[in-house]
Amino acid sequence: MAESLRGLQIILAGGSGGLGAAAAEALATEGACLVVSYRSNRERAARLATLGATLVQADLASAEDRRRLLEAAPELYGLVVFAGDPARVKEPAELEAVFHRSTEANLLGPILLAREAAERMRARRAPGAIVLLASMQAVALFPGSLAYAAPKAALLHAARILAKEYRGPANIRVNVVAPGVTAAGMAEASIASGKYNRYLAEGIIPRFGSPADVARAVRFFLEPDNYITGQVLVVDGGLTL
């Protein structure tokens, strides 16, 4: 697999954070041509320029921003969507506003970008791979996670619909990686608070996940000769079991 991505254009949408950076480093090592988008933190994204990545400022909720992002990779092979919102609700009165924001960031933006990318791939009659990032909260029930988990669960279903629509001769695969408690990105604050310590203390998981765990799963789905589409890979050390 070491050379199979060399020269292929891959977009990492919202890929400047911990999970995206780990994937970017792994893919750059293989010679992939990376385009990394960020919404507002250019300073963090600039670190990835050292990998040869092209940086694009984009809010996935904006149709114009999505168009500019896709145009930055005219021979697009792969799309990985890391962008999202933790959708934490501190007070019951906040639920409605947070739910709206979460739906836009965790479902609508990623799915519209995935569909638009797939249309461009199909127009070029070129095979491609799309990987969306969900969460273990999309496949298991965690009290208090309504605003975050519901859009992520809908993302799983929407991804499978896209996988069915673009399968066959087009050979555009759509899969989902669902990380568990990973020491990067959105979960860092929860880990620091001790929220998930009991899973270690009770021996349910051997350790918290690392960005490299997620990067390996993403890389697996990007493999050009991969025969898998419409699937969800839960990378959580068995926590949701």
Side-chain angles (χ1 to χ4, degrees), residues 29-55:
T29 299
E30 294 191 43
C33 299
L34 301 180
V35 175
V36 179
S37 80
Y38 64 96
R39 186 169 63 179
S40 58
N41 193 339
R42 182 172 178 81
E43 182 178 354
R44 184 176 67 176
R47 296 176 301 175
L48 300 181
T50 62
L51 301 176
T54 298
L55 303 181

Side-chain angles (χ1 to χ4, degrees), residues 118-142:
E119 283 295 314
R120 288 174 179 249
M121 292 171 180
R122 184 157 65 180
R124 291 179 49 241
R125 299 185 179 180
I130 296 172
V131 185
L132 302 174
L133 272 289
S135 165
M136 68 175 184
Q137 296 184 38
V139 299
L141 305 179
F142 290 84

